[in-house]
Amino acid sequence: MEPAVSLAVCALLFLLWVRLKGLEFVLIHQRWVFVCLFLLPLSLIFDIYYYVRAWVVFKLSSAPRLHEQRVRDIQKQVREWKEQGSKTFMCTGRPGWLTVSLRVGKYKKTHKNIMINLMDILEVDTKKQIVRVEPLVTMGQVTALLTSIGWTLPVLPELDDLTVALPADTVCDVSAGGLIMGTGIESSSHKYGLFQHICTAYELVLADGSFVRCTPSENSDLFYAVPWSCGTLGFLVAAEIRIIPAKKYVKLRFEPVRGLEAICAKFTHESQRQENHFVEGLLYSLDEAVIMTGVMTDEAEPSKLNSIGNYYKPWFFKHVENYLKTNREGLEYIPLRHYYHRHTRSIFWELQDIIPFGNNPIFRYLFGWMVPPKISLLKLTQGETLRKLYEQHHVVQDMLVPMKCLQQALHTFQNDIHVYPIWLCPFILPSQPGLVHPKGNEAELYIDIGAYGEPRVKHFEARSCMRQLEKFVRSVHGFQMLYADCYMNREEFWEMFDGSLYHKLREKLGCQDAFPEVYDKICKAARH
């Protein structure tokens, strides 16, 4: 009888707690039970399957043989759509929940689904220093293969599940999504630019079913228009990307900086130094940050070696924060692949909102080897109610602004959304044709300001606050990454992005009846 009474009391207390906190609070903050019991084991199974599959395919060299047949199959499907009257737009048949973007595209229910299965590394040519890949190859696949043979990508974004280039169905991103059709960035981007700037060739199936290859010298208009187009110019079926020799470790320096002016000055200075292979900043408040600079090296001091990617290690952003709390500089040698995926285990710092105790040493040692849950599975199981709650009470945004506007931008982020930590990543933006380029005719140093988390600004309202932030970004000739919720109207969108080449090619290639315009695909004002 006593256990039953205790159970009843616990149930009553739980109901009172739900009543006090509200159902919305419980749905958001107690999701860890389902994630730990079901999604973590399932994510591990997914990872093992795809790792084994990629290894077998590469060892058997079957990907190049199958690639041409798969491309012909895509062409056949597109031509059949055209013969049937081109009644609806096309998109890929890949389920929307499989993407890293937080949105699930509803258009798949009304558009013609083109089945695409292109997820393999096709070739590594160390003489030409090129890797040729299919669009669904992930950063995890790329680093596992290239680092094992002594090579790497000049720009290799952090999260394992980010794909090289999602085809024409998914909205793409840096903290989540395809790196060519959308964009991608890494702490080496101050030297090499965005992910699109290390690509040397794209292969596409166009709206009429034809195949085309484009490079800076061959079909150059299409080459420069593809990045940021989110699959609205054709189906990307392969890409060639530069590779560079890799070294074993990253020699990483940690420097706490206090005071906003000092932070901006120090970060700008380090971003301009080409001897730095990597530059990154984590802003923990408006006037507290840790700035990290790194160089690749083959030598390491054993006492300073830190394999930060091991499952039992502290989450990287928490590890970095210790340097701020203790007010000391640091020097560590981190294995290269561990460095590349330093934010993977904690999904930057998003996982702390899903598993609040995830960085606890006991949890890390017992269950850390299953972390993180796959973002695609989190999307699949979140439900409509939770999705709306996240939309209204959670921010995931990357804004790209000129480095000279950094201090003003950080004040704006503080006033409009007040989310910390904030990720700071510099990049050089070349003056090239396309949707995104500097205002002038010369390359310019920009910075990606990444805000991921629950806004702490009073009376936060997603639409009004984000529109205010978007307005500021437009005013300084900045850009919003298109994976996230975008609240601009059509006129504002095309004020931010240069659509001249994009619209010219959509007309020339007959895309108006084949693919939606990029604005209609990604902006909330067009989708609601």
Side-chain angles (χ1 to χ4, degrees), residues 7-23 26:
L7 186 61
V9 170
C10 290
L12 180 61
L13 290 174
F14 178 76
L15 290 173
L16 288 173
W17 182 64
V18 170
R19 182 177 178 82
L20 176 65
K21 291 291 187 178
L23 181 60
V26 176

Side-chain angles (χ1 to χ4, degrees), residues 283-286 395 409-422 451-458 460 465-466 469:
L283 194 72
Y284 291 92
S285 72
L286 189 59
V395 166
L410 293 178
H411 272 297
T412 303
F413 269 73
Q414 163 91 0
N415 295 334
D416 290 345
I417 58 175
H418 197 156
V419 171
Y420 292 100
I422 282 178
Y452 326 118
E454 187 174 342
R456 287 180 281 175
V457 67
K458 289 184 179 180
F460 175 79
C465 291
M466 289 314 307
L469 190 56

Side-chain angles (χ1 to χ4, degrees), residues 38 63 113 138 140 147 222 240 242 251 274-275 278 317 321 330 358 409 516 520 523:
F38 298 101
N113 281 220
T138 67
T147 55
L222 183 58
E240 293 180 7
R242 288 173 53 202
K251 182 181 180 182
Q274 291 301 297
E275 57 265 37
F278 306 100
F317 80 98
E321 190 176 17
D520 294 311
C523 284

Side-chain angles (χ1 to χ4, degrees), residues 366-382:
L366 294 179
F367 305 107
W369 50 277
M370 292 192 289
V371 169
K374 298 190 82 65
I375 296 175
S376 55
L377 294 180
L378 290 172
K379 285 173 59 180
L380 179 64
T381 58
Q382 68 180 354

